[in-house]
Amino acid sequence: MIRIGWVAKVKDNRLTIHVPRVSGCGGNCNSCGASCETSIHVVETANTLGAKEGDFVELAFSEVHSLRISLLIYILPLLFFIIGIVFASKFFDMSEIQSLGIGFVMLILSFICLYFVDKRLKKRVQDSIILRSIIQRPFQNNS
């Protein structure tokens, strides 16, 4: 996946890049009329191109990483919830309400697990981002 971002900060050979998120309509909000606001995603990565603050850069990251993380975020809580309900009702002979309660406890447990997994994966994902090129150096003085 290729995106264009704006270098907001350079510190210790690390870049902080602001990348606009693509909306559900593909980022072409004028055509759909939904008036959706595009938020900014902040990415930190190594400065392999010598980019400076204010530059626009083209960056690429693996779609496989995006899919894996999306599956983890959406599927893991659902699995925890279902497993909690099934185990409570089948193996502990709990009522439906009690099983549902255990399911919600497992759901909360999955969010706690995701919190810690997110901290571990953040560095790996940031290291998988590749700077492809510097698109523009605004206000560059050629003297």
Side-chain angles (χ1 to χ4, degrees):
M1 206 176 310
I2 298 172
R3 296 278 185 256
I4 295 174
W6 173 72
V7 178
K9 185 168 85 173
V10 180
K11 184 179 179 184
D12 299 331
N13 207 30
R14 300 285 295 172
L15 298 176
T16 301
I17 304 171
H18 290 190
V19 182
R21 291 183 190 227
V22 178
S23 65
C25 58
N28 191 4
C29 291
N30 293 335
S31 66
C32 76
S35 302
C36 37
E37 283 187 35
T38 56
S39 60
I40 300 293
H41 183 70
V42 179
V43 175
E44 188 176 312
T45 188
N47 189 1
T48 56
L49 298 177
K52 297 180 179 134
E53 198 169 306
D55 286 349
F56 286 91
V57 293
E58 184 179 65
L59 44 104
F61 56 96
S62 172
E63 291 180 15
V64 173
H65 276 101
S66 295
L67 286 174
R68 285 181 184 165
I69 291 171
S70 295
L71 281 173
L72 185 70
I73 290 171
Y74 292 113
I75 300 299
L76 186 72
L78 180 64
L79 285 176
F80 269 58
F81 182 67
I82 292 171
I83 288 170
I85 291 173
V86 169
F87 269 82
S89 65
K90 296 293 180 194
F91 296 113
F92 298 111
D93 292 326
M94 293 184 169
S95 69
E96 291 176 0
I97 298 292
Q98 290 172 328
S99 298
L100 190 62
I102 297 296
F104 279 117
V105 168
M106 292 294 289
L107 185 67
I108 292 169
L109 184 63
S110 74
F111 291 141
I112 293 169
C113 289
L114 284 175
Y115 174 78
F116 289 110
V117 168
D118 177 52
K119 286 187 168 200
R120 296 181 106 186
L121 287 179
K122 190 173 189 178
K123 175 123 176 71
R124 189 182 307 171
V125 169
Q126 287 175 352
D127 289 342
S128 71
I129 297 171
I130 300 166
L131 290 179
R132 293 179 52 151
S133 64
I134 298 173
I135 296 176
Q136 177 184 2
R137 282 210 164 121
F139 311 116
Q140 186 174 7
N141 192 356
N142 291 332
S143 53

